[in-house]
PDB file of all heavy atoms in Angstrom:
ATOM      1  N   GLY T   1     -63.198-147.730 127.112  1.00 92.00           N
ATOM      2  CA  GLY T   1     -62.816-148.128 125.756  1.00 92.00           C
ATOM      3  C   GLY T   1     -63.887-147.795 124.739  1.00 92.00           C
ATOM      4  O   GLY T   1     -65.082-147.814 125.039  1.00 92.00           O
ATOM      5  N   ALA T   2     -63.453-147.481 123.528  1.00 92.00           N
ATOM      6  CA  ALA T   2     -64.373-147.173 122.431  1.00 92.00           C
ATOM      7  C   ALA T   2     -65.138-148.431 122.016  1.00 92.00           C
ATOM      8  O   ALA T   2     -64.665-149.553 122.199  1.00 92.00           O
ATOM      9  CB  ALA T   2     -63.582-146.632 121.237  1.00 92.00           C
ATOM     10  N   ASP T   3     -66.326-148.220 121.432  1.00 92.00           N
ATOM     11  CA  ASP T   3     -67.149-149.348 120.998  1.00 92.00           C
ATOM     12  C   ASP T   3     -66.411-150.257 120.025  1.00 92.00           C
ATOM     13  O   ASP T   3     -66.541-151.477 120.086  1.00 92.00           O
ATOM     14  CB  ASP T   3     -68.445-148.845 120.349  1.00 92.00           C
ATOM     15  CG  ASP T   3     -69.422-148.263 121.359  1.00 92.00           C
ATOM     16  OD1 ASP T   3     -69.271-148.543 122.570  1.00 92.00           O
ATOM     17  OD2 ASP T   3     -70.329-147.525 120.945  1.00 92.00           O
ATOM     18  N   GLU T   4     -65.616-149.669 119.110  1.00 93.00           N
ATOM     19  CA  GLU T   4     -64.862-150.480 118.152  1.00 93.00           C
ATOM     20  C   GLU T   4     -63.864-151.383 118.879  1.00 93.00           C
ATOM     21  O   GLU T   4     -63.628-152.521 118.483  1.00 93.00           O
ATOM     22  CB  GLU T   4     -64.097-149.607 117.151  1.00 93.00           C
ATOM     23  CG  GLU T   4     -64.958-148.660 116.349  1.00 93.00           C
ATOM     24  CD  GLU T   4     -65.270-147.362 117.086  1.00 93.00           C
ATOM     25  OE1 GLU T   4     -64.429-146.852 117.861  1.00 93.00           O
ATOM     26  OE2 GLU T   4     -66.385-146.862 116.899  1.00 93.00           O
ATOM     27  N   MET T   5     -63.273-150.851 119.944  1.00 95.00           N
ATOM     28  CA  MET T   5     -62.300-151.626 120.711  1.00 95.00           C
ATOM     29  C   MET T   5     -62.989-152.774 121.434  1.00 95.00           C
ATOM     30  O   MET T   5     -62.447-153.874 121.522  1.00 95.00           O
ATOM     31  CB  MET T   5     -61.593-150.691 121.695  1.00 95.00           C
ATOM     32  CG  MET T   5     -60.241-151.124 122.135  1.00 95.00           C
ATOM     33  SD  MET T   5     -59.060-151.632 120.866  1.00 95.00           S
ATOM     34  CE  MET T   5     -58.983-150.264 119.753  1.00 95.00           C
ATOM     35  N   VAL T   6     -64.204-152.522 121.923  1.00 96.00           N
ATOM     36  CA  VAL T   6     -64.968-153.579 122.593  1.00 96.00           C
ATOM     37  C   VAL T   6     -65.198-154.734 121.629  1.00 96.00           C
ATOM     38  O   VAL T   6     -65.015-155.905 121.976  1.00 96.00           O
ATOM     39  CB  VAL T   6     -66.311-153.028 123.131  1.00 96.00           C
ATOM     40  CG1 VAL T   6     -67.220-154.161 123.608  1.00 96.00           C
ATOM     41  CG2 VAL T   6     -66.073-152.026 124.251  1.00 96.00           C
ATOM     42  N   GLU T   7     -65.576-154.424 120.393  1.00 96.00           N
ATOM     43  CA  GLU T   7     -65.823-155.474 119.401  1.00 96.00           C
ATOM     44  C   GLU T   7     -64.541-156.248 119.075  1.00 96.00           C
ATOM     45  O   GLU T   7     -64.564-157.472 118.927  1.00 96.00           O
ATOM     46  CB  GLU T   7     -66.447-154.881 118.137  1.00 96.00           C
ATOM     47  CG  GLU T   7     -67.840-154.314 118.359  1.00 96.00           C
ATOM     48  CD  GLU T   7     -68.800-155.320 118.981  1.00 96.00           C
ATOM     49  OE1 GLU T   7     -68.858-156.480 118.518  1.00 96.00           O
ATOM     50  OE2 GLU T   7     -69.507-154.943 119.936  1.00 96.00           O
ATOM     51  N   ASP T   8     -63.418-155.537 118.968  1.00 97.00           N
ATOM     52  CA  ASP T   8     -62.139-156.207 118.698  1.00 97.00           C
ATOM     53  C   ASP T   8     -61.760-157.138 119.845  1.00 97.00           C
ATOM     54  O   ASP T   8     -61.257-158.248 119.630  1.00 97.00           O
ATOM     55  CB  ASP T   8     -61.026-155.177 118.472  1.00 97.00           C
ATOM     56  CG  ASP T   8     -61.160-154.456 117.140  1.00 97.00           C
ATOM     57  OD1 ASP T   8     -62.013-154.850 116.313  1.00 97.00           O
ATOM     58  OD2 ASP T   8     -60.411-153.472 116.937  1.00 97.00           O
ATOM     59  N   VAL T   9     -61.993-156.695 121.078  1.00 97.00           N
ATOM     60  CA  VAL T   9     -61.680-157.519 122.249  1.00 97.00           C
ATOM     61  C   VAL T   9     -62.547-158.766 122.259  1.00 97.00           C
ATOM     62  O   VAL T   9     -62.064-159.873 122.515  1.00 97.00           O
ATOM     63  CB  VAL T   9     -61.840-156.710 123.555  1.00 97.00           C
ATOM     64  CG1 VAL T   9     -61.862-157.619 124.772  1.00 97.00           C
ATOM     65  CG2 VAL T   9     -60.724-155.688 123.675  1.00 97.00           C
ATOM     66  N   LYS T  10     -63.824-158.613 121.968  1.00 97.00           N
ATOM     67  CA  LYS T  10     -64.717-159.775 121.915  1.00 97.00           C
ATOM     68  C   LYS T  10     -64.191-160.810 120.934  1.00 97.00           C
ATOM     69  O   LYS T  10     -64.150-162.011 121.236  1.00 97.00           O
ATOM     70  CB  LYS T  10     -66.130-159.356 121.495  1.00 97.00           C
ATOM     71  CG  LYS T  10     -66.924-158.661 122.547  1.00 97.00           C
ATOM     72  CD  LYS T  10     -68.298-158.317 121.958  1.00 97.00           C
ATOM     73  CE  LYS T  10     -69.200-157.635 122.914  1.00 97.00           C
ATOM     74  NZ  LYS T  10     -70.501-157.307 122.303  1.00 97.00           N
ATOM     75  N   LEU T  11     -63.793-160.351 119.748  1.00 96.00           N
ATOM     76  CA  LEU T  11     -63.294-161.271 118.729  1.00 96.00           C
ATOM     77  C   LEU T  11     -61.997-161.939 119.177  1.00 96.00           C
ATOM     78  O   LEU T  11     -61.846-163.165 119.075  1.00 96.00           O
ATOM     79  CB  LEU T  11     -63.096-160.533 117.409  1.00 96.00           C
ATOM     80  CG  LEU T  11     -62.593-161.361 116.230  1.00 96.00           C
ATOM     81  CD1 LEU T  11     -63.493-162.560 115.962  1.00 96.00           C
ATOM     82  CD2 LEU T  11     -62.482-160.483 114.996  1.00 96.00           C
ATOM     83  N   ALA T  12     -61.059-161.163 119.695  1.00 96.00           N
ATOM     84  CA  ALA T  12     -59.761-161.719 120.118  1.00 96.00           C
ATOM     85  C   ALA T  12     -59.933-162.737 121.241  1.00 96.00           C
ATOM     86  O   ALA T  12     -59.333-163.827 121.207  1.00 96.00           O
ATOM     87  CB  ALA T  12     -58.825-160.593 120.549  1.00 96.00           C
ATOM     88  N   VAL T  13     -60.731-162.407 122.232  1.00 96.00           N
ATOM     89  CA  VAL T  13     -60.945-163.330 123.354  1.00 96.00           C
ATOM     90  C   VAL T  13     -61.660-164.586 122.878  1.00 96.00           C
ATOM     91  O   VAL T  13     -61.300-165.708 123.273  1.00 96.00           O
ATOM     92  CB  VAL T  13     -61.712-162.626 124.498  1.00 96.00           C
ATOM     93  CG1 VAL T  13     -62.178-163.622 125.554  1.00 96.00           C
ATOM     94  CG2 VAL T  13     -60.827-161.551 125.135  1.00 96.00           C
ATOM     95  N   SER T  14     -62.636-164.435 122.002  1.00 94.00           N
ATOM     96  CA  SER T  14     -63.338-165.602 121.464  1.00 94.00           C
ATOM     97  C   SER T  14     -62.385-166.536 120.736  1.00 94.00           C
ATOM     98  O   SER T  14     -62.430-167.755 120.915  1.00 94.00           O
ATOM     99  CB  SER T  14     -64.446-165.173 120.501  1.00 94.00           C
ATOM    100  OG  SER T  14     -65.464-164.515 121.177  1.00 94.00           O
ATOM    101  N   GLU T  15     -61.519-165.968 119.900  1.00 91.00           N
ATOM    102  CA  GLU T  15     -60.577-166.790 119.135  1.00 91.00           C
ATOM    103  C   GLU T  15     -59.587-167.512 120.058  1.00 91.00           C
ATOM    104  O   GLU T  15     -59.312-168.698 119.879  1.00 91.00           O
ATOM    105  CB  GLU T  15     -59.833-165.942 118.111  1.00 91.00           C
ATOM    106  CG  GLU T  15     -60.711-165.417 116.993  1.00 91.00           C
ATOM    107  CD  GLU T  15     -61.337-166.526 116.153  1.00 91.00           C
ATOM    108  OE1 GLU T  15     -60.709-167.568 115.926  1.00 91.00           O
ATOM    109  OE2 GLU T  15     -62.492-166.335 115.724  1.00 91.00           O
ATOM    110  N   ALA T  16     -59.055-166.802 121.045  1.00 91.00           N
ATOM    111  CA  ALA T  16     -58.092-167.423 121.971  1.00 91.00           C
ATOM    112  C   ALA T  16     -58.753-168.530 122.783  1.00 91.00           C
ATOM    113  O   ALA T  16     -58.193-169.621 122.937  1.00 91.00           O
ATOM    114  CB  ALA T  16     -57.490-166.370 122.900  1.00 91.00           C
ATOM    115  N   CYS T  17     -59.944-168.260 123.289  1.00 91.00           N
ATOM    116  CA  CYS T  17     -60.636-169.262 124.104  1.00 91.00           C
ATOM    117  C   CYS T  17     -61.073-170.461 123.256  1.00 91.00           C
ATOM    118  O   CYS T  17     -60.966-171.608 123.698  1.00 91.00           O
ATOM    119  CB  CYS T  17     -61.836-168.641 124.806  1.00 91.00           C
ATOM    120  SG  CYS T  17     -61.379-167.466 126.093  1.00 91.00           S
ATOM    121  N   THR T  18     -61.536-170.205 122.052  1.00 87.00           N
ATOM    122  CA  THR T  18     -61.939-171.301 121.164  1.00 87.00           C
ATOM    123  C   THR T  18     -60.754-172.206 120.856  1.00 87.00           C
ATOM    124  O   THR T  18     -60.887-173.433 120.862  1.00 87.00           O
ATOM    125  CB  THR T  18     -62.562-170.741 119.871  1.00 87.00           C
ATOM    126  OG1 THR T  18     -63.740-170.029 120.210  1.00 87.00           O
ATOM    127  CG2 THR T  18     -62.895-171.858 118.887  1.00 87.00           C
ATOM    128  N   ASP T  19     -59.594-171.608 120.612  1.00 84.00           N
ATOM    129  CA  ASP T  19     -58.413-172.422 120.339  1.00 84.00           C
ATOM    130  C   ASP T  19     -58.102-173.338 121.513  1.00 84.00           C
ATOM    131  O   ASP T  19     -57.781-174.512 121.336  1.00 84.00           O
ATOM    132  CB  ASP T  19     -57.209-171.531 120.032  1.00 84.00           C
ATOM    133  CG  ASP T  19     -56.062-172.334 119.483  1.00 84.00           C
ATOM    134  OD1 ASP T  19     -56.175-172.817 118.337  1.00 84.00           O
ATOM    135  OD2 ASP T  19     -55.065-172.538 120.212  1.00 84.00           O
ATOM    136  N   THR T  20     -58.230-172.814 122.712  1.00 84.00           N
ATOM    137  CA  THR T  20     -57.958-173.621 123.901  1.00 84.00           C
ATOM    138  C   THR T  20     -59.001-174.714 124.069  1.00 84.00           C
ATOM    139  O   THR T  20     -58.654-175.863 124.357  1.00 84.00           O
ATOM    140  CB  THR T  20     -57.905-172.724 125.149  1.00 84.00           C
ATOM    141  OG1 THR T  20     -56.841-171.796 124.973  1.00 84.00           O
ATOM    142  CG2 THR T  20     -57.671-173.526 126.402  1.00 84.00           C
ATOM    143  N   VAL T  21     -60.265-174.385 123.874  1.00 85.00           N
ATOM    144  CA  VAL T  21     -61.333-175.386 123.999  1.00 85.00           C
ATOM    145  C   VAL T  21     -61.103-176.518 123.005  1.00 85.00           C
ATOM    146  O   VAL T  21     -61.182-177.703 123.356  1.00 85.00           O
ATOM    147  CB  VAL T  21     -62.722-174.742 123.799  1.00 85.00           C
ATOM    148  CG1 VAL T  21     -63.800-175.796 123.625  1.00 85.00           C
ATOM    149  CG2 VAL T  21     -63.050-173.819 124.962  1.00 85.00           C
ATOM    150  N   VAL T  22     -60.786-176.174 121.752  1.00 82.00           N
ATOM    151  CA  VAL T  22     -60.545-177.196 120.727  1.00 82.00           C
ATOM    152  C   VAL T  22     -59.323-178.031 121.088  1.00 82.00           C
ATOM    153  O   VAL T  22     -59.341-179.260 121.000  1.00 82.00           O
ATOM    154  CB  VAL T  22     -60.392-176.542 119.337  1.00 82.00           C
ATOM    155  CG1 VAL T  22     -59.901-177.545 118.312  1.00 82.00           C
ATOM    156  CG2 VAL T  22     -61.707-175.925 118.889  1.00 82.00           C
ATOM    157  N   SER T  23     -58.258-177.382 121.527  1.00 79.00           N
ATOM    158  CA  SER T  23     -57.018-178.094 121.850  1.00 79.00           C
ATOM    159  C   SER T  23     -57.179-179.031 123.039  1.00 79.00           C
ATOM    160  O   SER T  23     -56.609-180.115 123.059  1.00 79.00           O
ATOM    161  CB  SER T  23     -55.891-177.100 122.161  1.00 79.00           C
ATOM    162  OG  SER T  23     -55.578-176.351 121.023  1.00 79.00           O
ATOM    163  N   LEU T  24     -57.939-178.594 124.043  1.00 78.00           N
ATOM    164  CA  LEU T  24     -58.092-179.395 125.260  1.00 78.00           C
ATOM    165  C   LEU T  24     -59.265-180.357 125.210  1.00 78.00           C
ATOM    166  O   LEU T  24     -59.431-181.173 126.107  1.00 78.00           O
ATOM    167  CB  LEU T  24     -58.243-178.483 126.481  1.00 78.00           C
ATOM    168  CG  LEU T  24     -57.053-177.618 126.840  1.00 78.00           C
ATOM    169  CD1 LEU T  24     -57.366-176.771 128.064  1.00 78.00           C
ATOM    170  CD2 LEU T  24     -55.817-178.464 127.083  1.00 78.00           C
ATOM    171  N   GLY T  25     -60.084-180.240 124.174  1.00 77.00           N
ATOM    172  CA  GLY T  25     -61.234-181.137 124.067  1.00 77.00           C
ATOM    173  C   GLY T  25     -62.220-180.976 125.213  1.00 77.00           C
ATOM    174  O   GLY T  25     -62.849-181.936 125.631  1.00 77.00           O
ATOM    175  N   GLY T  26     -62.336-179.765 125.749  1.00 77.00           N
ATOM    176  CA  GLY T  26     -63.298-179.515 126.826  1.00 77.00           C
ATOM    177  C   GLY T  26     -62.821-179.931 128.197  1.00 77.00           C
ATOM    178  O   GLY T  26     -63.597-179.939 129.144  1.00 77.00           O
ATOM    179  N   ARG T  27     -61.549-180.283 128.340  1.00 83.00           N
ATOM    180  CA  ARG T  27     -61.017-180.676 129.652  1.00 83.00           C
ATOM    181  C   ARG T  27     -60.086-179.579 130.159  1.00 83.00           C
ATOM    182  O   ARG T  27     -59.391-178.940 129.387  1.00 83.00           O
ATOM    183  CB  ARG T  27     -60.250-181.990 129.544  1.00 83.00           C
ATOM    184  CG  ARG T  27     -61.130-183.171 129.151  1.00 83.00           C
ATOM    185  CD  ARG T  27     -60.322-184.447 128.983  1.00 83.00           C
ATOM    186  NE  ARG T  27     -59.249-184.325 128.009  1.00 83.00           N
ATOM    187  CZ  ARG T  27     -59.395-184.447 126.689  1.00 83.00           C
ATOM    188  NH1 ARG T  27     -60.578-184.665 126.183  1.00 83.00           N
ATOM    189  NH2 ARG T  27     -58.375-184.333 125.878  1.00 83.00           N
ATOM    190  N   GLY T  28     -60.078-179.369 131.440  1.00 85.00           N
ATOM    191  CA  GLY T  28     -59.176-178.382 132.025  1.00 85.00           C
ATOM    192  C   GLY T  28     -59.884-177.066 132.309  1.00 85.00           C
ATOM    193  O   GLY T  28     -61.098-176.959 132.212  1.00 85.00           O
ATOM    194  N   ALA T  29     -59.089-176.073 132.676  1.00 88.00           N
ATOM    195  CA  ALA T  29     -59.630-174.759 133.032  1.00 88.00           C
ATOM    196  C   ALA T  29     -58.842-173.674 132.326  1.00 88.00           C
ATOM    197  O   ALA T  29     -57.724-173.907 131.853  1.00 88.00           O
ATOM    198  CB  ALA T  29     -59.559-174.559 134.541  1.00 88.00           C
ATOM    199  N   MET T  30     -59.447-172.504 132.252  1.00 89.00           N
ATOM    200  CA  MET T  30     -58.810-171.340 131.636  1.00 89.00           C
ATOM    201  C   MET T  30     -58.966-170.151 132.565  1.00 89.00           C
ATOM    202  O   MET T  30     -59.819-170.145 133.446  1.00 89.00           O
ATOM    203  CB  MET T  30     -59.493-170.994 130.320  1.00 89.00           C
ATOM    204  CG  MET T  30     -59.404-172.047 129.269  1.00 89.00           C
ATOM    205  SD  MET T  30     -60.252-171.514 127.758  1.00 89.00           S
ATOM    206  CE  MET T  30     -59.377-170.025 127.388  1.00 89.00           C
ATOM    207  N   GLN T  31     -58.147-169.128 132.314  1.00 92.00           N
ATOM    208  CA  GLN T  31     -58.261-167.863 133.031  1.00 92.00           C
ATOM    209  C   GLN T  31     -58.124-166.710 132.062  1.00 92.00           C
ATOM    210  O   GLN T  31     -57.311-166.767 131.141  1.00 92.00           O
ATOM    211  CB  GLN T  31     -57.141-167.722 134.059  1.00 92.00           C
ATOM    212  CG  GLN T  31     -57.539-167.987 135.462  1.00 92.00           C
ATOM    213  CD  GLN T  31     -56.471-167.560 136.457  1.00 92.00           C
ATOM    214  OE1 GLN T  31     -55.592-166.754 136.180  1.00 92.00           O
ATOM    215  NE2 GLN T  31     -56.566-168.124 137.636  1.00 92.00           N
ATOM    216  N   VAL T  32     -58.917-165.672 132.292  1.00 95.00           N
ATOM    217  CA  VAL T  32     -58.751-164.394 131.596  1.00 95.00           C
ATOM    218  C   VAL T  32     -58.480-163.375 132.696  1.00 95.00           C
ATOM    219  O   VAL T  32     -59.222-163.308 133.678  1.00 95.00           O
ATOM    220  CB  VAL T  32     -60.006-164.002 130.794  1.00 95.00           C
ATOM    221  CG1 VAL T  32     -59.847-162.623 130.171  1.00 95.00           C
ATOM    222  CG2 VAL T  32     -60.314-165.040 129.717  1.00 95.00           C
ATOM    223  N   ARG T  33     -57.397-162.613 132.527  1.00 95.00           N
ATOM    224  CA  ARG T  33     -57.033-161.599 133.508  1.00 95.00           C
ATOM    225  C   ARG T  33     -56.920-160.245 132.825  1.00 95.00           C
ATOM    226  O   ARG T  33     -56.419-160.150 131.712  1.00 95.00           O
ATOM    227  CB  ARG T  33     -55.689-161.937 134.168  1.00 95.00           C
ATOM    228  CG  ARG T  33     -55.741-163.175 135.029  1.00 95.00           C
ATOM    229  CD  ARG T  33     -54.399-163.484 135.676  1.00 95.00           C
ATOM    230  NE  ARG T  33     -53.335-163.734 134.722  1.00 95.00           N
ATOM    231  CZ  ARG T  33     -53.146-164.895 134.086  1.00 95.00           C
ATOM    232  NH1 ARG T  33     -53.960-165.902 134.300  1.00 95.00           N
ATOM    233  NH2 ARG T  33     -52.159-165.045 133.231  1.00 95.00           N
ATOM    234  N   GLY T  34     -57.371-159.207 133.507  1.00 96.00           N
ATOM    235  CA  GLY T  34     -57.254-157.852 133.000  1.00 96.00           C
ATOM    236  C   GLY T  34     -56.514-156.984 134.005  1.00 96.00           C
ATOM    237  O   GLY T  34     -56.847-156.981 135.191  1.00 96.00           O
ATOM    238  N   TYR T  35     -55.489-156.275 133.517  1.00 95.00           N
ATOM    239  CA  TYR T  35     -54.672-155.396 134.350  1.00 95.00           C
ATOM    240  C   TYR T  35     -54.795-153.970 133.816  1.00 95.00           C
ATOM    241  O   TYR T  35     -54.171-153.635 132.811  1.00 95.00           O
ATOM    242  CB  TYR T  35     -53.200-155.813 134.308  1.00 95.00           C
ATOM    243  CG  TYR T  35     -52.920-157.207 134.803  1.00 95.00           C
ATOM    244  CD1 TYR T  35     -52.909-158.291 133.917  1.00 95.00           C
ATOM    245  CD2 TYR T  35     -52.659-157.441 136.141  1.00 95.00           C
ATOM    246  CE1 TYR T  35     -52.643-159.574 134.368  1.00 95.00           C
ATOM    247  CE2 TYR T  35     -52.389-158.731 136.594  1.00 95.00           C
ATOM    248  CZ  TYR T  35     -52.388-159.786 135.699  1.00 95.00           C
ATOM    249  OH  TYR T  35     -52.119-161.060 136.148  1.00 95.00           O
ATOM    250  N   PRO T  36     -55.598-153.137 134.476  1.00 93.00           N
ATOM    251  CA  PRO T  36     -55.696-151.742 134.030  1.00 93.00           C
ATOM    252  C   PRO T  36     -54.364-151.021 134.270  1.00 93.00           C
ATOM    253  O   PRO T  36     -53.714-151.238 135.286  1.00 93.00           O
ATOM    254  CB  PRO T  36     -56.788-151.141 134.917  1.00 93.00           C
ATOM    255  CG  PRO T  36     -57.464-152.300 135.571  1.00 93.00           C
ATOM    256  CD  PRO T  36     -56.493-153.428 135.586  1.00 93.00           C
ATOM    257  N   GLY T  37     -53.970-150.197 133.320  1.00 90.00           N
ATOM    258  CA  GLY T  37     -52.734-149.441 133.458  1.00 90.00           C
ATOM    259  C   GLY T  37     -52.802-148.129 132.722  1.00 90.00           C
ATOM    260  O   GLY T  37     -53.816-147.797 132.104  1.00 90.00           O
TER     261      GLY T  37
END
């Protein structure tokens, strides 16, 4: 992936994970999965 894409992925994953952390109040678990295609 291009460097610009890496930065976009970092931002998107951060936002999604932050939303979950805030919603769950630090309880529970999360998963990130990557499927190359």
Side-chain angles (χ1 to χ4, degrees):
D3 288 342
E4 302 83 34
M5 205 49 55
V6 170
E7 294 306 313
D8 288 352
V9 166
K10 285 180 179 179
L11 181 55
V13 169
S14 292
E15 292 298 325
C17 291
T18 297
D19 191 70
T20 299
V21 168
V22 170
S23 295
L24 295 180
R27 296 177 303 278
M30 297 180 58
Q31 258 192 20
V32 176
R33 293 180 299 280
Y35 300 91

